[in-house]
């Protein structure tokens, strides 16, 4: 069963537009593509979270997973990127990205166009980010064989150094998406219906 109901129903056309924008954003901000040229922070984490909120089925999750793998492979095979991160731990990116998507999916079920929505939104963001960091960075640190004498204490120190950078880029892109969502609702909803899901 690949279909999961959403409390933010959008037309197929709007979903296709969102999916296209997210795919372009992932391509343009992957660490070793255009982001290094234009100093754009990586958007991959935000892409999976936002896709979970707006895209109605699980197929886009598989599509974005495939896109992220292809971008990494292309960078290594043809772009001269380092193979440092291509280890058996690379598979931990699957549950890492899926955690963000599921967090967004959960929030979609709590959504309402009201200030109260900030509470479940914040909860879903914190949960998704924490699980993604645990799977991605934790998986790499403990299972990549790139580090000798691993320990939870060292992992926590490393996370305190690098995790805030991921949080910063995540907040930037989800903040832009939130502003676009509010503007879209205000422009499309009739007076007195602004607490209703986007139609």
């Amino acid at each position: 069963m690949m279909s999961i109901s959403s409390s933010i129903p959008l037309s197929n056309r709007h979903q296709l537009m969102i999916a296209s924008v997210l795919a372009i954003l992932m391509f343009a901000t992957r660490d070793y593509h255009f982001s290094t040229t234009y100093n754009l922070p990586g958007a991959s984490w935000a892409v999976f979270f936002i896709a979970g909120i707006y895209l109605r089925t699980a197929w886009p999750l598989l599509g974005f997973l495939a896109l992220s793998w292809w971008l990494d492979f292309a960078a290594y095979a043809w772009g001269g990127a380092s193979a440092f991160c291509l280890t058996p731990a690379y598979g931990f990116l699957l549950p890492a990205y899926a955690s963000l998507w599921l967090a967004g999916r959960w929030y979609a079920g709590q959504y309402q166009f009201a200030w109260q929505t900030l509470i479940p939104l914040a909860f879903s963001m914190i949960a998704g980010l924490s699980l993604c960091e645990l799977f991605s960075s934790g998986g790499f640190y403990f299972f990549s064989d790139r580090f000798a004498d691993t320990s939870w204490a060292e992992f926590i120190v490393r996370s305190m150094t690098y995790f805030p950078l991921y949080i910063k880029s995540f907040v930037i892109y989800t903040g832009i998406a939130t502003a676009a969502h509010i503007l879209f609702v205000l422009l499309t909803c009739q007076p007195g219906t602004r607490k209703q899901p986007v139609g």
Side-chain angles (χ1 to χ4, degrees), residues 124-144:
S124 63
M125 293 170 78
I126 292 170
L129 284 168
S130 299
L131 287 172
C132 184
E133 168 67 7
L134 182 62
F135 281 119
S136 61
S137 296
F140 182 73
Y141 176 72
F142 287 107
F143 299 102
S144 66

Side-chain angles (χ1 to χ4, degrees), residues 93-136:
L93 287 180
L94 296 176
Y97 289 147
S99 296
L100 289 166
W101 184 86
L102 287 170
R105 191 92 305 252
W106 177 84
Y107 171 69
Q110 315 301 313
Y111 166 80
Q112 56 177 320
F113 191 67
W115 287 110
Q116 294 89 327
T117 201
L118 294 176
I119 296 174
L121 177 60
F123 176 80
S124 63
M125 293 170 78
I126 292 170
L129 284 168
S130 299
L131 287 172
C132 184
E133 168 67 7
L134 182 62
F135 281 119
S136 61

